[in-house]
Amino acid sequence: MERVDLDGVQLEAGERVWLLLGSAGRDPSKWGLHADRYDLWRPGADKHLALGAGQHRCPGTYLTLMQARALLRALAEQCTTLAPAGTPTGGHTHIMRGFTAAPIATSCSRTRARRPVLVSPSESPR
């Protein structure tokens, strides 16, 4: 082992380093002064590695994306209003960061839906 320079920080041979996934996407040198703000519209926001990539991709990636798509579709089809209804609360640890609650106010109508949003596997088209 030898001494290493990691982004301007000198690490001595054998020194322990923590991998903190909760700090991912929050580098002020890349994202600016508001690196810690949750901002879906910041340039490059779609380039995250939250679910991994390549051989390290999370096996649940596609299920997660299907569930998110179904939720967003249902909201778009059935709700006329969607607005923040309070301050999101976090469940931050050294390992992960995220929201435990993000209250929203909705105005929805079941009659507004144009087609079924969620169907059981036996009802899905083949």
Side-chain angles (χ1 to χ4, degrees):
M1 288 196 237
E2 59 188 63
R3 185 177 177 172
V4 174
D5 177 84
L6 182 63
D7 199 28
V9 176
Q10 296 295 314
L11 301 172
E12 298 299 326
E15 190 171 355
R16 291 184 182 189
V17 177
W18 280 71
L19 174 64
L20 301 176
L21 299 177
S23 65
R26 291 174 170 78
D27 182 356
S29 67
K30 177 171 177 62
W31 303 108
L33 295 176
H34 304 292
D36 203 37
R37 183 183 303 164
Y38 183 71
D39 183 358
L40 291 174
W41 293 274
R42 71 180 178 187
D46 61 332
K47 305 294 185 228
H48 65 82
L49 295 174
L51 297 170
Q55 69 183 25
H56 301 289
R57 180 172 294 281
C58 172
T61 296
Y62 298 105
L63 176 60
T64 300
L65 295 174
M66 285 176 19
Q67 289 176 326
R69 190 173 292 122
L71 169 67
L72 295 173
R73 184 181 301 126
L75 289 172
E77 291 178 349
Q78 298 180 22
C79 297
T80 55
T81 305
L82 190 66
T87 304
T89 54
H92 307 311
T93 68
H94 292 305
I95 305 299
M96 300 295 285
R97 292 179 67 129
F99 295 121
T100 54
I104 57 171
T106 62
S107 175
C108 300
S109 168
R110 288 189 138 293
T111 60
R112 187 166 184 234
R114 293 185 295 277
R115 64 182 184 277
V117 177
L118 300 174
V119 296
S120 69
S122 62
E123 297 172 318
S124 64
R126 301 219 182 253

